[in-house]
Amino acid sequence: MKDFLDNIARYPRFLISFSLGVLYSFYEWFKPLLKNRVTTVAFLGMVMGAFLFLFFTLRAMLGLSTV
């Protein structure tokens, strides 16, 4: 039973390291775009638009708005 609990205790550490690895990979992939001011503004606008789209879609799907 102790081996089972030790194995289960490793999952949060794996999740954190996996998530940080994915975020770092995306950062390295978009790093060349962030060197130019125009592409940086466009990239941040796209990220903000995607976040707002997801936010409003989930809000409407969950019935949290009065639309």
Side-chain angles (χ1 to χ4, degrees):
M1 185 68 171
K2 183 174 179 352
D3 291 337
F4 175 73
L5 293 176
D6 287 340
N7 194 22
I8 295 297
R10 292 182 198 158
Y11 282 105
R13 193 172 40 187
F14 171 75
L15 179 64
I16 291 170
S17 63
F18 178 78
S19 300
L20 288 176
V22 168
L23 289 176
Y24 181 72
S25 295
F26 278 126
Y27 172 73
E28 287 294 322
W29 192 31
F30 289 118
K31 192 174 173 181
L33 292 176
L34 301 177
K35 291 182 180 179
N36 188 354
R37 179 174 277 178
V38 175
T39 56
T40 301
V41 171
F43 176 72
L44 290 177
M46 287 180 10
V47 168
M48 186 65 124
F51 174 76
L52 288 174
F53 175 76
L54 183 64
F55 174 77
F56 287 123
T57 301
L58 289 175
R59 188 172 173 181
M61 287 173 65
L62 295 172
L64 299 176
S65 65
T66 58
V67 175

